[in-house]
Amino acid sequence: MSPLEMEAERTLVGKGVLLCLAAMLVFASQDAVTKILVQDMSVAQVVLVRYWVFALFAIVWVSRTSTIRHALRSVRPKLQVLRSLLSIAEIAIFNLALRHLGLAESHSLMAAFPLMAIALAAPILGERVSMKSWLAVCVGFAGTLVILRPGLDVFKPESLIPLTAALCFACYHVVTRQVSSAGDGFHTNILYMALIGFVCATLFGVTAWRAPSMQEWVLLAVISIMSVAAQLLLVKALEYAPASVLQPFNYSLLVFATIIGFLVFSELPDRWTIVGAGIVIASGLYVIYLQRTRE
């Protein structure tokens, strides 16, 4: 590769990193708006509006380059349904966490999901996990205990909500790898997730529906647009840089959530949350490093 080609490649990777960081900022901002909404509105109704917009986006997106009928042909349809159910469960549970906990605390516990995914990959996918990776997983889980502080007076049962969301998200990632390895592509993945989520969100959300105020309609529109925008930014980022390069920058979501939580809600994580989050992130980054050196 010539110096000019190398420089061009570095420029593209740099664009991918910036787009990934922009996506994380949008996700953190979306969660801040969601936190405002779920104080007075049911989580089911918020998720319902999000999935209505997401389903419309997915249908338009798939129709641009393929057909709905073709995208619905899945090699593993049952796994696609399971994957979609895990996705909507993670979103709903994490939105519930935002009602009870601060942005930084919720995302600090959510950051454990990559470590959970590694722990699940061994028994479910039969993947060989090295001793170093298992050690990193154990250290990461120790970090979550530092945040939770079980057995102490400061322990909040609500802290288990984002951990449950993290477990759903970890299972979602494991199942996604199963359907992707079976041959299902991006269009199939996104369409199943949108349509299954649309059906489930409608079933639960309609019963909890109440007429939103004008301000709530605006906020619902904002988080729906932000959700689509963040997904598009991530898709675009992956066009410029490989996922292995972008993976560490996903942790910037916690940084953005902490800053926005302070600016908007005057929330500051305590020192133990900061220490625990640091342990979880360091463990996750070490696992990413191990995976990259193994490739």
Side-chain angles (χ1 to χ4, degrees):
M1 185 180 294
S2 68
L4 284 176
E5 290 174 330
M6 292 177 64
E7 182 62 30
E9 184 176 348
R10 280 195 293 266
T11 301
L12 290 177
V13 170
K15 287 182 179 179
V17 169
L18 289 175
L19 287 169
C20 179
L21 291 173
M24 296 304 111
L25 176 58
V26 175
F27 276 130
S29 302
Q30 170 198 290
D31 288 338
V33 179
T34 301
K35 182 174 176 62
I36 296 171
L37 268 172
V38 296
Q39 300 307 314
D40 300 310
M41 181 176 285
S42 73
V43 169
Q45 185 170 350
V46 174
V47 175
L48 167 63
V49 175
R50 277 189 58 180
Y51 265 93
W52 279 354
V53 175
F54 180 46
L56 178 61
F57 160 73
I59 291 170
V60 173
W61 180 272
V62 171
S63 299
R64 288 174 63 236
T65 54
S66 182
T67 64
I68 302 298
R69 180 179 295 182
H70 179 74
L72 286 175
R73 293 174 186 164
S74 170
V75 180
R76 306 286 296 275
K78 291 182 180 178
L79 282 181
Q80 282 288 4
V81 172
L82 174 61
R83 172 180 171 275
S84 303
L85 291 175
L86 287 168
S87 176
I88 191 172
E90 179 269 323
I91 291 172
I93 294 170
F94 189 73
N95 284 359
L96 182 62
L98 293 174
R99 175 183 290 174
H100 299 286
L101 302 171
L103 280 176
E105 188 175 1
S106 297
H107 279 286
S108 295
L109 292 166
M110 189 69 185
F113 87 83
L115 302 173
M116 293 181 178
I118 290 171
L120 291 169
I124 296 177
L125 300 179
E127 292 184 358
R128 183 176 175 274
V129 180
S130 68
M131 186 59 67
K132 290 181 179 179
S133 294
W134 277 119
L135 181 61
V137 169
C138 292
V139 172
F141 286 146
T144 63
L145 292 178
V146 172
I147 300 172
L148 290 171
R149 282 158 285 173
L152 301 180
D153 292 337
V154 293
F155 171 71
K156 292 180 289 188
E158 295 87 351
S159 299
L160 297 177
I161 301 175
L163 268 185
T164 305
L167 179 59
C168 288
F169 203 37
C171 294
Y172 162 82
H173 273 262
V174 171
V175 177
T176 297
R177 282 157 66 179
Q178 283 184 299
V179 296
S180 297
S181 62
D184 283 354
F186 175 75
H187 285 163
T188 301
N189 290 342
I190 193 173
L191 193 60
Y192 266 88
M193 191 163 62
L195 296 182
I196 297 296
F198 169 81
V199 172
C200 292
T202 301
L203 288 174
F204 288 97
V206 167
T207 58
W209 184 268
R210 67 164 176 80
S213 66
M214 182 58 68
Q215 181 184 10
E216 287 172 335
W217 271 122
V218 171
L219 295 179
L220 285 167
V222 167
I223 63 170
S224 299
I225 293 170
M226 280 183 167
S227 177
V228 172
Q231 295 293 343
L232 288 175
L233 285 168
L234 276 180
V235 170
K236 200 66 180 175
L238 289 167
E239 290 181 11
Y240 291 118
S244 59
V245 173
L246 297 179
Q247 214 171 357
F249 295 95
N250 291 335
Y251 284 111
S252 64
L253 177 57
L254 176 54
V255 177
F256 290 133
T258 302
I259 294 171
I260 293 172
F262 173 70
L263 294 176
V264 179
F265 304 105
S266 300
E267 298 171 350
L268 270 180
D270 60 35
R271 61 179 178 178
W272 292 112
T273 299
I274 294 172
V275 170
I279 294 172
V280 171
I281 292 174
S283 301
L285 291 174
Y286 182 62
V287 167
I288 292 170
Y289 167 76
L290 291 175
Q291 290 176 335
R292 292 183 64 179
T293 54
R294 191 178 59 185
E295 292 175 356

